[in-house]
């Protein structure tokens, strides 16, 4: 007998029929003698529709109220699954974020989990209840409903698994596991049996939305083995675990693409100490996350400074940059939101040279221009025009021999 946490994503609970399919899987796991805690997302498309509704109601929806609205998506699915399980003869209880005592900070729309008071969940498990928890939501210290950012149900699941010391955390989604790249972009993508926490952290941060990055951070910190698999078949999926020797043999293990990018360039910035702080402090104060930063070579005491932000922050970041440009005497602010970031990831890169050269040559062969480059110990990212994103993913997948069959 084990304590199993299972999370089902939007497609897996996309209709009442699909929720019935989830109920059968949950019941089977329970019948085998296991204790089960289920975390659900909203039905596929519902969170997007709620965001659209909010923008119909208000040009800049208040973030606290947006959280109140968005959390209803998950409230719907947990109630439906619990009803179905009860009709099947099981004791099932749904819990919203605050009922499961998922405490977060007060950052509306992208809150971080601070603690989980697992008592209520544990009590229900002791009574052999199937506990069905709404993912993506929590509450701050003042009792406000908060949400955890897009894809946040993954984080709810892993954090709950860590809090209640679950034996395993299964993430059920619409693909069979974690692939060498998004299988919906490259049909030659290969499913991996295992991937290290560190590689998955990079892949998630670079656009592989199969796991929200914070869920991988929790998994690594609390050593939670995560099994990503499909809710539509019985196939084994991919285990996200600690790094081992076999993994290190692969130089590049995955390719990712992130289209949620926008670029801002400040032209002719005075090349003096303190200028970068003047540019980036107001962005940080506005809680805008800056990704890549590049400063051109100095010419005549001036330099161009380019950085990237997510598309959601683009408008606000542009407004802030224009104000700062005026203050520091930069001549112009150029912007573009038709860009994408493609990256190659692999722990084996630590000990191999030539990865960058292979990447740049592969993109050059297709005439894809590289606008910005950034690197870490285990990844290289290039900013390119958005229209080439899918092509770049496929080309890099082949260039690093990740295809199923050689081209
Ligand atoms: P869910 O609703 O179950 O949370 P998501 O849509 O958030 O599902 O995540 C699953 C999707 O992630 C897949 O349909 C796939 O398009 C995408 N994806 C991106 N990169 C990868 C990858 N390397 N491996 C598997 N899926 C990936
Ligand atoms: N429903 C939320 C979203 O669409 C959370 C999730 O699915 O994980 O982002
Ligand atoms: Mg998801």
């Amino acid at each position: 007998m084990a304590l199993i946490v299972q999370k089902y994503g939007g497609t897996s609970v996309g209709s009442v029929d699909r929720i019935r399919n989830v109920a059968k899987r949950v019941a089977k796991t329970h019948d085998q003698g296991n204790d089960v805690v289920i975390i659900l997302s909203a039905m596929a498309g519902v969170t997007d529709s709620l965001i659209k509704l909010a923008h119909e109601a208000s040009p800049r929806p208040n973030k606290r109220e947006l959280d109140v609205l968005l959390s209803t998506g998950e409230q719907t699915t947990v109630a439906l699954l619990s009803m179905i399980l009860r009709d099947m003869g099981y004791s099932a209880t749904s819990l919203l974020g605050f009922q499961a005592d998922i405490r977060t900070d007060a950052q509306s729309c992208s809150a971080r989990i601070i603690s989980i008071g697992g008592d209520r969940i544990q009590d229900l498990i002791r009574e052999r209840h199937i506990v069905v928890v709404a993912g993506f939501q929590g509450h701050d210290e003042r009792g406000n409903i908060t949400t955890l950012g897009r894809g946040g149900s993954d984080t709810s699941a892993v954090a709950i698994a860590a809090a209640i010391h679950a034996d395993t955390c299964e993430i059920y989604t619409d693909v069979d596991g974690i692939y060498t790249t998004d299988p919906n972009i490259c049909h030659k993508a290969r499913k991996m049996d295992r991937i290290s926490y560190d590689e998955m952290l990079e892949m998630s941060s670079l656009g592989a939305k199969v796991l929200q990055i914070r869920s991988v951070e929790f998994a690594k910190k609390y050593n939670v083995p995560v099994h990503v698999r499909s809710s539509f078949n019985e196939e084994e999926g991919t285990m996200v675990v600690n790094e081992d020797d076999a993994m290190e043999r692969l130089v590049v293990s995955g390719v990712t693409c992130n289209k949620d990018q926008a670029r801002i360039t400040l032209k002719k910035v005075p090349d003096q100490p303190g200028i970068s702080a003047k540019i980036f402090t107001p962005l940080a104060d506005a809680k805008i996350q800056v990704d890549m930063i590049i400063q051109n070579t100095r010419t005549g005491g001036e330099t161009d400074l380019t950085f990237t932000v997510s598309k959601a922050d683009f408008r606000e970041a542009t407004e802030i940059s224009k104000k700062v440009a005026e203050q520091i005497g930069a001549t112009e602010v150029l912007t573009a939101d038709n860009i994408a970031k493609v990256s190659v990831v692999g722990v084996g890169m630590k000990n191999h040279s030539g990865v960058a050269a292979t990447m740049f040559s592969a993109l050059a062969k297709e005439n894809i221009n590289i606008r910005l480059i950034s690197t870490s110990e285990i990844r290289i990212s290039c900013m390119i025009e958005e229209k080439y994103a899918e092509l770049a993913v496929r080309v890099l997948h082949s260039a690093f021999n990740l295809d199923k069959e050689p081209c």
Side-chain angles (χ1 to χ4, degrees), residues 261-265 306-308 314 334-337 339 371-372:
Q261 296 275 311
R263 189 183 72 215
I264 298 176
T265 302
T306 300
F307 59 91
T308 62
F314 182 45
L334 303 177
T335 60
D337 67 352
I339 55 166
R371 301 298 185 90
L372 299 175

Side-chain angles (χ1 to χ4, degrees), residues 7 151 154 209:
K7 177 253 168 176
D154 299 330
K209 67 168 182 164

Side-chain angles (χ1 to χ4, degrees), residues 7 9-10 172-175 177-179 181-184 203 208-210:
K7 177 253 168 176
Y172 286 92
T173 184
D174 56 0
V175 287
I178 297 162
Y179 281 67
T181 192
D182 187 339
N184 291 319
M203 286 187 63
K209 67 168 182 164
V210 61

